[in-house]
Amino acid sequence: MITGGQRSGKSQYAERLALNLSENPIYVATAHVWDDEFRKRVENHQQRRGKQWTNIEEEKYLSRHDISGRVAVIDCITLWCTNFFFNRGKAEWEQPTVDEALDAVKNEFDRFTSQDATFIFVTNEIGSGGVSDNVIQRRFTDLEGWMNQYVASKADEVVLMVSGIPLKIKGK
């Protein structure tokens, strides 16, 4: 698991790690493209990776994809959790609770990682700042923090990225 703040170098570090482990890694993009600015970010990520990458775009159900025997970067847990937290097209009263969303993401994580593969999960440390005055943001920060803890507990290694510098906080 690679974690850190925005623009800390998480994705590039994860990509380098994957390329050190495989000549043809998989990149699993979990983002929902919300607007043109975000679409440009996605395009920049895609251009940075070469043709040796297999790209999979999957917003929720990662376990639909058989990646057995492969090395995969999953970018990222934060956007993946967002897709479980917000049910687009539903009324606010139909939104899942934090516990329901967390259970769904954990279950999908467990199904996906039951494959014999090497997984490199990228995530954000969104709870490192102050407490938001927005109830939705506080709920999402709880979901993200609990999911990060869950993934970190299962990971062999956890790396914290700070200003482009990897700091190993768990593992070899």
Side-chain angles (χ1 to χ4, degrees), residues 129-146:
V131 176
S132 175
D133 62 357
N134 180 295
V135 67
I136 299 295
Q137 180 60 48
R138 287 193 306 272
R139 288 176 58 214
F140 183 77
T141 300
D142 289 347
L143 169 63
E144 173 72 10
W146 288 323

Side-chain angles (χ1 to χ4, degrees), residues 57-161:
E57 294 182 13
E58 178 60 57
E59 293 183 17
K60 279 182 136 176
Y61 303 106
L62 306 182
S63 65
R64 289 190 230 198
H65 304 279
D66 182 2
I67 64 165
S68 299
R70 304 282 301 274
V71 172
V73 171
I74 300 85
D75 199 356
C76 74
I77 293 171
T78 308
L79 296 171
W80 189 37
C81 284
T82 300
N83 299 330
F84 282 89
F85 187 70
F86 292 103
N87 286 327
R88 286 179 296 284
K90 295 193 176 219
E92 184 175 329
W93 57 269
E94 294 179 289
Q95 295 298 326
T97 67
V98 171
D99 289 339
E100 289 168 339
L102 181 61
D103 286 344
V105 180
K106 282 182 176 179
N107 288 334
E108 185 58 24
F109 173 85
D110 291 341
R111 280 193 297 276
F112 182 56
T113 59
S114 69
Q115 299 178 66
D116 183 20
T118 300
F119 303 91
I120 303 168
F121 281 88
V122 177
T123 192
N124 293 282
E125 286 297 323
I126 65 172
S128 295
V131 176
S132 175
D133 62 357
N134 180 295
V135 67
I136 299 295
Q137 180 60 48
R138 287 193 306 272
R139 288 176 58 214
F140 183 77
T141 300
D142 289 347
L143 169 63
E144 173 72 10
W146 288 323
M147 190 60 194
N148 282 350
Q149 289 181 47
Y150 186 75
V151 174
S153 75
K154 307 284 184 181
D156 294 327
E157 296 181 24
V158 178
V159 174
L160 172 64
M161 295 297 297

